[in-house]
């Protein structure tokens, strides 16, 4: 068992005059303090090494030296024990020498013990306070060290969890500067099973750990839904519902999401509560939409222009799911040029001159440096503001469309392109509530990849099967009408009705998918059937509305060699090559 008793504290009285030292020691004892009497310096040197000494009261002249020898030794050993010197005379030279070596007081005999003790009490109180402050300083340093270690570990874990599966692409460049140990900004990318590329920049309210926690929810939801092939609009609705449900009322997440849809050659943009997205296309007017404002810059090279995509949505987590509407802008996917995404941290950051950096300065830099903007900021950011005075998290990202398209075109180069000899059949049948929750398509994509089919082909198959399966559930089993999705309010009603059917589904409600590979014809035959009664020749019920849903039969027909809806409409057959 460890003893926690405090060591005894002493006052040393050093004087070769036995009567004088006895008189002083008796008085100090009467005040409740422990006293050690020493006759010479040798005894003093020994006692200070063996005991906890709070004060040394020493006569200037001793038989083996002067008080200066003691002061010199204490200074050499860097001991801060306070010393009061006594003397029969008050020679200025001796007094000056003592004070120059750190003595706290110099008293002349005979000593008035009452006045002397008043000084001692003040001195001891100050010493005890100094000891307490020093102990608190040591404890504080220990706490700060432990806190720094915990924050370092937490930051490492946070960055790992957030950035896991986040790939570094040469067409995406980012500049990030956190204002605290944890950043409330995040840049993530992902590739859907159909090959589409997703990029998200999110900015959580607040700073530090409180801002970082919602970012972890964004990251986990983003990875899960992109990897499972959910559409952009479904992902946005799910993310808003999750943040609204799990975050405090005063917390929300503004974000920008881009989806490069290579099958349609479209770029989908969703901006919720963020600064505008800028897209530079080198003067080629390929981006046309009523929500876009084109900016021609007078000093730009080669008639470069900037398309401006302002926020038309609320930040995520503010509105409840039943009132939230996702307004997605869709434009042609640029073949070249750059996109610039950024949080409000930089444009609101004050520069050395005391003025906000401003959005106009950032826009001018983007026009001038284009894809080199990030390297410029990394090299020259200190010219605008110091890293020690960052008021908010700063995140900027540029996307190189030419390299993005090249990356997409080259993905199949390293894959086996030879058609496999032989045949296979992949069948799946799902019934009941599982229809609305089963994740079977990821296994299909993996199955085709293992057999050696090219990535682009696997992604096209994934898109077609996912579309046909979704139509079989919605319009065959649930008998929903896609014409509800002609406007945002109807779209919300459509999904509300769809979700309400989940508890009503039984084993008699089913969808079957059959996929057969015929190597002799280099064809993949896909058949999707359902338990519904069919559409009776009316295909309006499954109208193609990609503006809202991001899906449609027109896409299936585009990706397929043949398309057939077998009467009465509950069997669809597709051939792909």
């Amino acid at each position: 068992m460890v003893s926690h008793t405090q060591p005894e504290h002493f006052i040393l009285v050093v004087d070769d005059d036995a009567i004088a030292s006895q008189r002083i020691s008796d008085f100090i004892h009467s005040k409740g303090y422990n006293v050690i009497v020493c006759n010479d310096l040798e005894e003093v040197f020994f006692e200070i090494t063996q005991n906890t000494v709070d004060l040394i009261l020493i006569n200037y002249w001793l038989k083996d030296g002067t008080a200066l020898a003691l002061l010199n030794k204490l200074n050499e050993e860097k001991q801060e024990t306070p010393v009061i010197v006594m003397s029969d005379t008050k020679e200025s030279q001796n007094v000056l020498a003592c004070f120059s070596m750190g003595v706290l007081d110099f008293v002349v005999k005979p000593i008035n013990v009452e006045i002397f003790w008043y000084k001692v009490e003040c001195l001891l109180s100050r010493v005890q306070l100094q000891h307490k402050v020093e102990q608190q300083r040591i404890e504080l340093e220990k706490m700060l060290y432990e806190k720094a270690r915990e924050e370092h570990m937490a930051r490492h874990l946070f960055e790992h969890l957030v950035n896991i599966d986040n790939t570094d692409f040469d067409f995406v460049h980012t500049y990030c500067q956190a204002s605290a140990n944890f950043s409330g900004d995040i840049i993530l990318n992902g590739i859907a099973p159909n090959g589409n590329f997703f990029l998200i920049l999110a900015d959580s309210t607040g700073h530090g750990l409180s801002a970082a926690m919602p970012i972890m929810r964004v990251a986990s939801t983003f990875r899960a839904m992109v990897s499972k092939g959910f559409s952009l609009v479904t992902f946005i609705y799910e993310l808003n519902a999750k943040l609204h449900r799990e975050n405090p009322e005063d917390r929300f997440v503004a974000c920008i999401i881009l989806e490069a849809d290579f099958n349609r050659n479209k770029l989908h943009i969703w901006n919720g509560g963020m600064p505008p997205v800028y897209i530079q296309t080198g003067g080629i007017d390929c981006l046309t939409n009523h929500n876009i404002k084109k900016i021609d810059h007078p000093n730009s090279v080669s008639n470069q222009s900037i398309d401006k995509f302002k926020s038309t949505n609320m930040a995520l987590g503010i509105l409840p799911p039943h009132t939230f509407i996702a307004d997605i802008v869709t434009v042609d996917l640029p073949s070249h040029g750059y996109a610039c995404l950024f949080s409000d941290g930089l444009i609101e950051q004050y520069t050395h001159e005391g003025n906000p950096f401003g959005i106009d300065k950032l826009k001018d830099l983007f026009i001038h440096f284009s894809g080199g903007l990030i390297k410029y900021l990394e090299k020259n950011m200190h010219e605008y503001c110091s890293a020690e005075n960052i008021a908010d998290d700063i995140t900027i990202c540029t996307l190189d469309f030419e390299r993005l398209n090249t990356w997409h075109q080259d993905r199949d180069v390293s894959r086996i392109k030879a058609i496999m000899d032989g045949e296979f059949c992949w069948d799946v049948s799902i019934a009941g509530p599982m229809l609305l929750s089963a994740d079977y398509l990821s296994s299909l994509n993996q199955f085709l990849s293992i057999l050696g089919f090219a990535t682009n082909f696997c992604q096209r198959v994934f898109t077609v099967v996912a579309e046909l399966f979704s139509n079989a559930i919605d319009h065959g089993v649930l008998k929903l009408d896609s014409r509800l999705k002609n406007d945002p309010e109807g779209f919300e009603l459509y999904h509300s009705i769809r979700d309400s059917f989940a508890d009503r589904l039984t084993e008699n409600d089913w969808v079957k998918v059959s996929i057969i590979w015929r190597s002799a014809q280099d064809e993949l035959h896909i058949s999707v059937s359902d338990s519904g009664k069919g559409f009776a020749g009316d295909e309006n019920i499954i109208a193609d509305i990609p503006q809202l849903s991001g899906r449609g039969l027109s896409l299936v027909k585009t990706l397929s060699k043949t398309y057939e809806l077998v009467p009465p409409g509950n069997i669809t057959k597709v051939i792909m090559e």
Side-chain angles (χ1 to χ4, degrees):
M1 182 175 179
V2 179
S3 175
H4 295 283
T5 58
Q6 296 293 327
E8 287 189 295
H9 291 245
F10 295 90
I11 293 178
L12 293 187
V13 176
V14 187
D15 198 336
D16 51 10
D17 184 342
I19 297 176
S21 61
Q22 187 65 43
R23 176 171 172 264
I24 296 175
S25 64
D26 290 344
F27 180 79
I28 296 175
H29 267 302
S30 69
K31 296 297 184 180
Y33 235 98
N34 298 316
V35 182
I36 297 177
V37 177
C38 301
N39 296 319
D40 52 39
L41 292 173
E42 183 178 356
E43 290 184 22
V44 177
F45 296 154
F46 173 78
E47 295 294 343
I48 61 178
T49 62
Q50 301 297 314
N51 301 285
T52 301
V53 178
D54 289 343
L55 174 66
I56 299 176
L57 180 61
I58 184 172
N59 194 46
Y60 183 83
W61 295 103
L62 296 169
K63 59 185 179 181
D64 56 349
T66 67
L68 298 178
L70 172 63
L71 295 173
N72 185 60
K73 184 175 181 61
L74 293 176
N75 291 335
E76 287 179 353
E77 297 181 358
K78 297 182 179 179
Q79 293 190 30
E80 297 182 355
T81 306
V83 177
I84 295 178
V85 176
M86 304 177 293
S87 178
D88 294 326
T89 60
K90 192 176 182 180
E91 298 179 9
S92 58
Q93 187 175 357
N94 295 340
V95 174
L96 182 60
C98 288
F99 278 110
S100 65
M101 296 187 68
V103 72
L104 293 182
D105 201 357
F106 193 103
V107 296
V108 179
K109 296 180 179 179
I111 298 175
N112 184 319
V113 290
E114 294 292 340
I115 297 177
F116 166 74
W117 185 249
Y118 176 80
K119 290 184 178 182
V120 169
E121 283 188 320
C122 293
L123 181 61
L124 290 176
S125 297
R126 187 171 69 179
V127 170
Q128 291 172 358
L129 181 60
Q130 288 175 343
H131 287 326
K132 185 176 181 180
V133 170
E134 177 63 17
Q135 185 62 34
Q136 290 176 339
R137 182 190 66 80
I138 294 173
E139 292 177 359
L140 178 60
E141 287 183 350
K142 183 178 179 180
M143 292 173 58
L144 291 175
Y145 174 74
E146 293 297 329
K147 180 175 180 292
R149 285 187 58 193
E150 291 176 356
E151 287 186 350
H152 177 76
M153 180 62 70
R155 186 166 63 252
H156 175 76
L157 181 61
F158 168 78
E159 292 175 352
H160 173 74
L161 293 175
V162 167
N163 293 305
I164 189 173
D165 296 330
N166 205 36
T167 307
D168 290 329
F169 294 105
D170 65 353
F171 49 82
V172 177
H173 297 281
T174 59
Y175 175 85
C176 302
Q177 177 67 58
S179 62
N181 287 329
F182 292 88
S183 176
D185 289 0
I186 191 175
I187 287 279
L188 295 174
N189 60 66
I191 304 172
N194 65 355
N196 288 356
F197 176 78
F198 284 79
L199 181 67
I200 180 173
L201 189 161
D203 180 6
S204 176
T205 52
H207 305 285
L209 186 59
S210 63
M213 294 307 295
I215 289 297
M216 296 187 68
R217 300 186 182 96
V218 172
S220 60
T221 305
F222 175 83
R223 284 196 299 269
M225 299 199 71
V226 170
S227 65
K228 293 181 179 179
F230 287 97
S231 65
L232 176 59
V233 68
T234 304
F235 163 58
I236 294 172
Y237 274 89
E238 174 62 23
L239 189 55
N240 177 75
K242 186 178 182 67
L243 292 175
H244 183 270
R245 180 175 63 252
E246 298 180 4
N247 277 1
E249 292 183 356
D250 61 339
R251 297 289 174 174
F252 56 86
V253 178
C255 74
I256 297 168
I257 309 174
L258 303 185
E259 178 187 8
D261 187 341
F262 299 106
N263 292 317
R264 290 192 179 91
N265 198 37
K266 295 293 184 181
L267 179 68
H268 307 296
I269 305 170
W270 187 83
N271 188 343
M274 291 284 281
V277 178
Y278 289 125
I279 295 184
Q280 183 186 95
T281 57
I284 297 178
D285 191 8
C286 62
L287 305 177
T288 55
N289 187 284
H290 67 280
N291 287 325
I292 306 170
K293 181 179 180 182
K294 185 173 289 293
I295 305 170
D296 294 313
H297 196 271
N299 299 322
S300 59
V301 181
S302 303
N303 193 31
Q304 290 181 346
S305 60
I306 295 290
D307 295 283
K308 184 177 182 180
F309 299 81
K310 291 184 175 181
S311 170
T312 56
N313 300 273
M314 295 289 285
L316 297 170
I318 297 177
L319 296 177
H322 65 277
T323 62
F324 179 79
I325 297 176
D327 181 18
I328 298 174
V329 177
T330 299
V331 299
D332 292 337
L333 180 64
S335 59
H336 63 283
Y338 303 90
C340 181
L341 299 68
F342 53 95
S343 62
D344 58 9
L346 177 58
I347 61 178
E348 295 179 356
Q349 174 64 35
Y350 278 85
T351 64
H352 296 305
E353 290 76 23
N355 301 314
F357 189 92
I359 195 169
D360 291 335
K361 182 185 293 292
L362 180 58
K363 181 188 68 180
D364 289 341
L365 290 175
F366 177 52
I367 292 174
H368 184 74
F369 293 101
S370 301
L373 174 63
I374 301 303
K375 288 185 177 180
Y376 171 81
L377 291 175
E378 290 174 344
K379 184 178 180 180
N380 300 284
M381 192 63 183
H382 64 279
E383 296 183 3
Y384 299 101
C385 57
S386 62
E388 293 76 18
N389 297 320
I390 300 297
D392 193 6
D393 301 321
I394 295 175
T395 304
I396 305 172
C397 173
T398 59
L399 174 62
D400 186 329
F401 289 111
E402 184 173 359
R403 291 189 176 185
L404 172 66
N405 285 285
T406 300
W407 165 80
H408 172 67
Q409 295 166 5
D410 292 345
R411 271 187 296 177
D412 287 342
V413 172
S414 60
R415 298 302 305 269
I416 301 174
K417 292 181 179 290
I419 300 301
M420 307 300 295
D421 291 333
E423 296 183 355
F424 71 79
C425 181
W426 188 90
D427 294 321
V428 63
S429 178
I430 303 178
M434 191 180 294
L435 280 169
L436 299 180
S437 60
D439 177 24
Y440 69 94
L441 285 181
S442 59
S443 62
L444 169 61
N445 200 51
Q446 183 180 12
F447 177 72
L448 294 175
S449 298
I450 291 174
L451 289 179
F453 287 93
T455 303
N456 182 264
F457 181 74
C458 296
Q459 292 161 351
R460 288 195 293 119
V461 173
F462 177 93
T463 301
V464 169
V465 176
E467 191 60 47
L468 295 179
F469 190 87
S470 178
N471 282 333
I473 295 175
D474 291 1
H475 314 304
V477 176
L478 302 181
K479 303 178 181 62
L480 296 176
D481 192 334
S482 277
R483 287 172 293 189
L484 286 172
K485 297 188 285 185
N486 283 329
D487 55 72
E489 290 77 9
F491 184 86
E492 178 67 26
L493 176 61
Y494 181 92
H495 278 274
S496 177
I497 296 174
R498 187 181 192 274
D499 294 340
S500 69
F501 273 100
D503 297 333
R504 308 180 194 177
L505 296 175
T506 68
E507 64 273 7
N508 296 321
D509 301 307
W510 51 263
V511 174
K512 297 179 181 179
V513 180
S514 178
I515 300 176
I516 300 175
W517 169 249
R518 303 189 187 281
S519 61
Q521 294 81 31
D522 293 343
E523 293 177 347
L524 191 71
H525 293 245
I526 302 172
S527 175
V528 179
S529 57
D530 60 70
S531 59
K533 296 181 179 180
F535 308 118
D538 182 11
E539 290 197 25
N540 289 328
I541 194 173
I542 47 175
D544 183 17
I545 310 178
Q547 293 85 352
L548 289 176
S549 65
R551 307 283 187 178
L553 291 180
S554 62
L555 177 60
V556 173
K557 296 174 182 178
T558 300
L559 298 176
S560 305
K561 179 181 180 180
T562 65
Y563 168 85
E564 179 186 5
L565 182 64
V566 180
N570 62 345
I571 301 177
T572 305
K573 294 183 177 181
V574 164
I575 297 177
M576 301 183 65
E577 60 181 3

